[in-house]
Amino acid sequence: MKEKSLDQSFSDSRELDGSFDPLTGHPPSSQSKKAIKQRFLKLLPCCRPSSTPTVSQCNLEDDFELSTVCHRPEDLEKLQELTRFTKKELQVLYRGFKNECPSGVVNEDTFKLIYSQFFPQGDSSTYAHFLFEAFDTNKNGSVSFEDFVTGLSIILRGSINDRLGWAFNLYDLDKDGCITKEEMMYVMRSIYDMMGKYTYPCLHADTPREHVESFFKKMDRNNDGVVTIEEFIESCRKDDNIMQSMQLFDSII
């Protein structure tokens, strides 16, 4: 028997409450788990619950959606094997994705546009570029639903080492297996640019560099000027604040 695709299973889905927040490298320690839940989904492209159609609307528009989707995702069963999401969770995520991206994929410009709406006080374009590249694992200039839920599964359902590995990959801009101070500076500056000057009224120009120096002092164990994934994971696992931040993503959906 032919396996049902997500399109064919679409009308069986139900809406979920809650929202997500992406990894920025600096989860605010003052934010509660509830606040993280309320923001996370809104900050990821193609999954904003406020614009998600109702089940009845989905049934009525199903034929139209099938005719407009250019990229069809893998079978539902295959995506369940590739991720740690249930069938119902995948259906809900897919509904939101198709609502925002009827072509079945999102390019970098659209990704940046959606992301910028949640950081109007700053410039999120550079950080959104880094985040887009982390999701675009095939390096084809677009993020499909498979790319999206695979990355999301690691962030939300992966082991601590899986999540830290994903974060490491975000900072390892040239993908050579280590993080340099220059790479960390690019990402750190993009985070401050994204948050905007009003978020940090006392911010001075040297703050990003100070954070980078502090990062390397803790993690560059052999003082060779780069941080390997082993050093990164080992240091993060010994940091209580980082571990608490990672746990905020547990049971979000």
Side-chain angles (χ1 to χ4, degrees):
M1 180 180 296
K2 185 178 181 180
E3 295 180 334
K4 289 168 64 177
S5 69
L6 279 175
D7 284 302
Q8 294 168 318
S9 304
F10 192 56
S11 60
D12 296 330
S13 62
R14 297 293 185 268
E15 292 189 29
L16 291 179
D17 293 327
S19 341
F20 304 174
D21 191 350
L23 295 174
T24 61
H26 275 318
S29 58
S30 62
Q31 281 190 304
S32 65
K33 185 174 181 179
K34 182 178 179 181
I36 293 290
K37 286 185 178 182
Q38 290 174 339
R39 294 182 57 235
F40 197 90
L41 188 52
K42 294 179 181 178
L43 293 175
L44 286 173
C46 310
C47 275
R48 288 179 287 172
S50 59
S51 59
T52 301
T54 63
V55 175
S56 60
Q57 286 174 322
C58 289
N59 291 335
L60 290 172
E61 297 172 359
D62 205 31
D63 290 341
F64 173 75
E65 287 178 287
L66 285 171
S67 68
T68 59
V69 172
C70 300
H71 173 84
R72 293 181 183 276
E74 300 285 352
D75 289 331
L76 180 61
E77 288 77 10
K78 185 172 182 179
L79 282 177
Q80 284 182 266
E81 295 176 1
L82 293 174
T83 69
R84 294 177 174 87
F85 292 125
T86 66
K87 174 181 177 180
K88 185 174 292 186
E89 289 168 340
L90 286 168
Q91 288 170 330
V92 173
L93 290 169
Y94 184 54
R95 184 196 307 169
F97 192 94
K98 283 184 65 178
N99 187 67
E100 293 293 337
C101 310
S103 67
V105 295
V106 58
N107 61 28
E108 184 171 343
D109 288 340
T110 303
F111 190 102
K112 289 180 177 179
L113 179 61
I114 296 173
Y115 210 80
S116 67
Q117 297 174 24
F118 300 96
F119 295 93
Q121 75 277 20
D123 179 3
S124 63
S125 60
T126 303
Y127 182 75
H129 166 72
F130 296 146
L131 192 62
F132 180 86
E133 290 205 328
F135 276 104
D136 180 18
T137 54
N138 294 323
K139 304 306 173 190
N140 60 3
S142 64
V143 172
S144 66
F145 181 69
E146 294 95 320
D147 297 330
F148 177 68
V149 294
T150 300
L152 199 60
S153 176
I154 295 172
I155 297 170
L156 299 183
R157 301 287 169 81
S159 66
I160 292 297
N161 280 7
D162 289 338
R163 299 181 196 188
L164 291 174
W166 196 93
F168 178 89
N169 182 65
L170 178 69
Y171 287 108
D172 181 15
L173 300 182
D174 62 6
K175 313 307 177 191
D176 67 346
C178 60
I179 302 173
T180 65
K181 287 186 178 182
E182 289 75 16
E183 287 174 320
M184 178 56 60
M185 273 297 299
Y186 284 133
V187 178
M188 195 65 65
R189 288 191 185 280
S190 75
I191 292 172
Y192 281 108
D193 288 343
M194 175 176 65
M195 300 310 295
K197 62 181 180 181
Y198 299 109
T199 305
Y200 300 94
C202 298
L203 178 67
H204 54 87
D206 291 334
T207 301
R209 183 166 297 280
E210 290 171 359
H211 282 170
V212 171
E213 293 297 334
S214 176
F215 174 91
F216 270 83
K217 184 176 181 180
K218 292 179 180 179
M219 298 192 177
D220 183 12
R221 299 303 181 88
N222 60 359
N223 298 312
D224 64 351
V226 298
V227 172
T228 64
I229 190 169
E230 292 80 12
E231 290 174 322
F232 184 86
I233 291 177
E234 180 184 357
S235 299
C236 287
R237 292 189 69 98
K238 292 179 180 179
D239 190 305
D240 291 338
N241 290 329
I242 292 177
M243 288 298 95
Q244 289 175 9
S245 297
M246 301 297 287
Q247 291 170 6
L248 289 174
F249 296 100
D250 293 339
S251 304
I252 283 178
I253 61 173

